[in-house]
């Protein structure tokens, strides 16, 4: 598949690999325990073209294909999920401003976001609302020529650092999903409050926390996506996000497999390398097989998005299979490492916790099954039981 990327895209993918190796890997274990990521990392990633990669060329981006963007995410995630996800969410927020924003919003936000000086985040999930995003209660009331925003958002990646939030809010509860709109909200506005970064199993570099909006007064030009379009925009973005989560899992699996092979051929037990035992070999053979399948599904999803299609089914297949394969595969790699795999110097604990997180974010495995089943049943005239 890498043959399908251009020479220029190959260079960006290689830059991502080197950035991951030199800038992320040495500090990944430390960052995985901290809340949030230092501003310098966003800026360094930006200077290496890793933020602008997916943005359109006429907005200062490089306009790389989804296929290339998937390979960039895979290369970064081989070093660490939390950093990769923080950078990915930021780049996706900049991309949303570039593609959906008004001229004024682009002028106001884009240059700083592309340079990594200003960090972006998405606020959809709420303390009481996860999978069923149509049920959000965060309220934007129309007031004169602006809006009054109230509500609490949960699980906000980059929440600890973000300068600009893309906030999904209900403008008309009676209208259901059609009432949902998206607003750009500055992190330093009166009425915006950040919770403490969550303590999680790992992945603290992603700076996940709650964000509270309390009588937050927004001007009319804070509207990014109008009511009626906001939920559709969220769903369109989520297919791409699912493909990226799949790519991230491929990166973590590949890194785990490489490390398990490297260690297992040199670690000796009972007079021979531990990988001379067929039981362990076959465990890693299963990981390699799943990895090839995971990469194939991810590349297919990316290619479908590159064709301009919504890729709902392909992205659901990729996310469902790849996240599950990563949970199984990273565990199998850890098994081949013996106790050594548990140490902080090794990536396995971080990768395994992150693979489990990936089974939840951007739609759980069960929600991927809902999406897939709906597609299977539609030809029979059944949209959902
Ligand atoms: C590390 C991380 C970062 C995140 N970052 C962001 C972010 O930046 N912005 C943001 O808005 N959100 C973010 N999220 C939230 C994420 O999108 C939600 O976790 C996800 O939508 C699932 O919601 P939930 O965890 O509340 O699960 P729930 O919806 O409470 O579901 C609980 C369980 O019920 C199952 N379930 C629910 N409905 C069905 C059904 N119809 N059929 C079968 N089973 C069902 C689920 O699969 C799950 O197993 C993040 C999450 C994580 C873990």
């Amino acid at each position: 598949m890498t043959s399908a990327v251009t020479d220029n895209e190959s260079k960006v993918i290689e830059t991502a690999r080197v950035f991951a190796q030199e800038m992320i890997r040495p500090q990944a274990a430390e960052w995985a325990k901290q809340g949030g990521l230092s501003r310098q990392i966003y800026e360094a990633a930006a200077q290496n073209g890793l933020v602008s990669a997916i943005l359109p060329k006429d907005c200062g981006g490089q306009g790389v294909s989804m296929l290339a963007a998937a390979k960039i995410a895979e290369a970064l995630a081989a070093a660490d999920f939390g950093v990769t996800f923080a950078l990915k969410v930021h780049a996706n927020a900049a991309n949303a401003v570039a593609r959906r924003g008004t001229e004024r919003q682009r002028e106001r936000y884009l240059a700083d976001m592309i340079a990594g000086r200003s960090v972006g985040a998405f606020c959809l999930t709420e303390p009481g609302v996860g999978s069923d995003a149509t049920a959000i209660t965060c309220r934007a009331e129309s007031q004169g020529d602006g809006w009054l925003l109230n509500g609490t958002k949960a699980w906000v990646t980059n929440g600890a650092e973000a300068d600009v939030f893309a906030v999904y809010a209900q403008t008309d509860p009676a209208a259901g999903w059609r009432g949902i709109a998206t607003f750009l909200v500055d992190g330093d506005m009166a009425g915006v409050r950040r919770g403490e970064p969550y303590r999680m199993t790992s992945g603290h570099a992603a700076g996940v926390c709650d964000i509270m909006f309390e009588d937050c007064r927004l001007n009319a030009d804070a509207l990014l996506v109008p009511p009626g379009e906001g939920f559709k925009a969220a769903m369109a973005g989520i297919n791409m996000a699912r493909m990226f989560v799949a790519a991230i899992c491929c990166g973590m699996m590949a890194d785990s497999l490489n490390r398990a092979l490297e260690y297992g051929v040199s670690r000796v037990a009972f007079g021979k390398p531990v990988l001379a035992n067929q039981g362990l070999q076959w465990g890693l053979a299963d990981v390699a097989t799943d990895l090839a399948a995971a990469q194939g599904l991810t590349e297919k999803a990316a290619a479908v998005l590159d064709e301009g299609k919504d890729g709902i089914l392909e992205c659901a297949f990729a996310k469902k299979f790849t996240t599950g394969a990563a949970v199984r595969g990273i565990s199998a790699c850890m098994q081949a490492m013996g106790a050594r795999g548990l140490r902080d110097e090794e990536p396995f604990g971080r990768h395994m916790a992150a693979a489990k997180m990936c089974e939840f974010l951007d739609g759980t495995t069960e929600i991927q099954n809902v999406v897939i089943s709906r597609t299977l049943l539609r030809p029979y005239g059944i949209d959902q039981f």
Side-chain angles (χ1 to χ4, degrees), residues 81 85 89 122-125 129-132 154-157 200 208 357 360-367 370:
F81 158 81
F85 199 61
V89 166
F122 286 96
C123 305
L124 176 63
T125 305
V129 179
S131 302
D132 181 10
W155 289 98
V156 181
T157 297
M200 306 185 290
V208 182
M357 286 177 178
F360 302 127
L361 52 88
D362 290 318
T364 64
T365 304
E366 291 76 15
I367 293 304
V370 170

Side-chain angles (χ1 to χ4, degrees), residues 165-177:
F165 296 100
V167 183
Y168 295 86
Q170 181 54 266
T171 63
D172 176 6
W177 67 264

